[in-house]
Amino acid sequence: MTDAPDGRPRPADQWRHRGVRGLTIARDASVRGWRWWARSWDRLVAALQDEAPVGSGAAPAPSGPLVEQRDVPRLIAVPARGYVYSFYIRATFAWSSPASMRAEVLSWYVQYFQPNAIQRLTRLASDAARDLPPHRAGDLELALQEALAEDPQWHYQRGDIVITCRPDAAVRLDERIMPALQPHVDRLVELEYQFDEQLRKARYAEEVSRQWATLLSDHAEDQDIADARDHMLTAQRDAARWITELLRRHSEHPTDSVSAPPIPPQQSRPTEP
């Protein structure tokens, strides 16, 4: 290669240098572009196949079908009988697919199908709540659970993809009706406590009676035990006749003040002559 008389490269040499440098830059850019395209192509193929990209940093795929739990962001309101008060339903949907699917793809289908599931659950709850008074939230929840048990899995399809939904629901009372129900609920709690207390007393009395029966049976030949047994049975019969007479008089004259029959005297234990 020779230079011009003034020491500068000849025009042909300048174009040759520029061409070689351009080819080198284009080659390096092509190599980098090809590597980027190869990586992007692998990710695209993996996404279309619903598989995670293979690499040193890839996490192992979980075993079993992928399930996404999704709560309804707002309570579902359905009117009670009379259309003055409402029931409020807290709903949860468990979404899954029998086919292998990535979490991002399943989330997209859940976002697409969940309005349909909410509408279906609202229709079921409305049909069950239409004839119920507003304080029967427990009956509505029971009816709704029975309806969901008859069809526990809802299926939605888009193209060849089938998504399965398992709904669950809990019912809450209208807050406006709670102050009216509070005194009745408190009274029921008190009555249930009294019932439990009386039941414990009855069980204790039954246990004592069983122990006495065992004692009297084991010492049936003892005259003192036999006399005590006869005394107890006579007292019980007298008390039963007194209660029966009192109830009879009350039923015949429910509004009049009827004097109670005389209380049977306490019988003394027979003494030896």
Side-chain angles (χ1 to χ4, degrees), residues 66-76 89-97 106-107 109-125 144-145 148 151-156 163-170:
L66 186 64
V67 178
E68 180 171 340
Q69 198 86 3
R70 187 74 66 92
D71 296 331
V72 177
R74 290 183 296 274
L75 297 177
I76 302 174
I89 301 171
R90 184 182 301 277
T92 302
F93 300 101
W95 297 89
S96 61
S97 176
L106 179 60
S107 297
Y109 281 106
V110 169
Q111 190 72 20
Y112 182 81
F113 286 122
Q114 182 149 309
N116 297 337
I118 295 175
Q119 183 179 6
R120 181 174 179 179
L121 181 62
T122 303
R123 185 168 57 252
L124 287 175
L144 195 56
Q145 294 294 341
L148 295 179
D151 188 10
Q153 290 187 349
W154 300 347
H155 301 280
Y156 297 92
I163 303 297
T164 300
C165 171
R166 184 179 292 273
D168 187 27

Side-chain angles (χ1 to χ4, degrees), residues 2-62:
T2 58
D3 296 336
D6 56 0
R8 293 180 302 174
R10 294 182 179 180
D13 296 334
Q14 292 179 359
W15 285 110
R16 187 179 299 108
H17 283 297
R18 292 176 181 175
V20 171
R21 186 172 56 188
L23 291 175
T24 303
I25 294 174
R27 182 196 62 187
D28 295 340
S30 299
V31 171
R32 289 193 300 269
W34 172 255
R35 291 175 180 173
W36 176 85
W37 174 250
R39 290 193 301 269
S40 300
W41 178 259
D42 292 339
R43 295 193 187 99
L44 178 61
V45 171
L48 293 177
Q49 293 178 349
D50 294 332
E51 296 178 357
V54 178
S56 58

Side-chain angles (χ1 to χ4, degrees), residues 205-224:
E206 181 182 3
E207 181 63 25
V208 172
S209 299
R210 186 181 299 109
Q211 293 177 1
W212 272 104
T214 302
L215 178 63
L216 295 175
S217 176
D218 294 341
H219 302 81
E221 298 178 356
D222 192 335
Q223 186 61 38
D224 292 338

Side-chain angles (χ1 to χ4, degrees), residues 149-181:
E150 294 177 358
D151 188 10
Q153 290 187 349
W154 300 347
H155 301 280
Y156 297 92
Q157 185 172 359
R158 179 179 172 87
D160 296 335
I161 301 298
V162 177
I163 303 297
T164 300
C165 171
R166 184 179 292 273
D168 187 27
V171 182
R172 293 179 54 184
L173 279 173
D174 194 328
E175 293 183 356
R176 298 173 297 171
I177 203 173
M178 290 183 180
L181 292 178

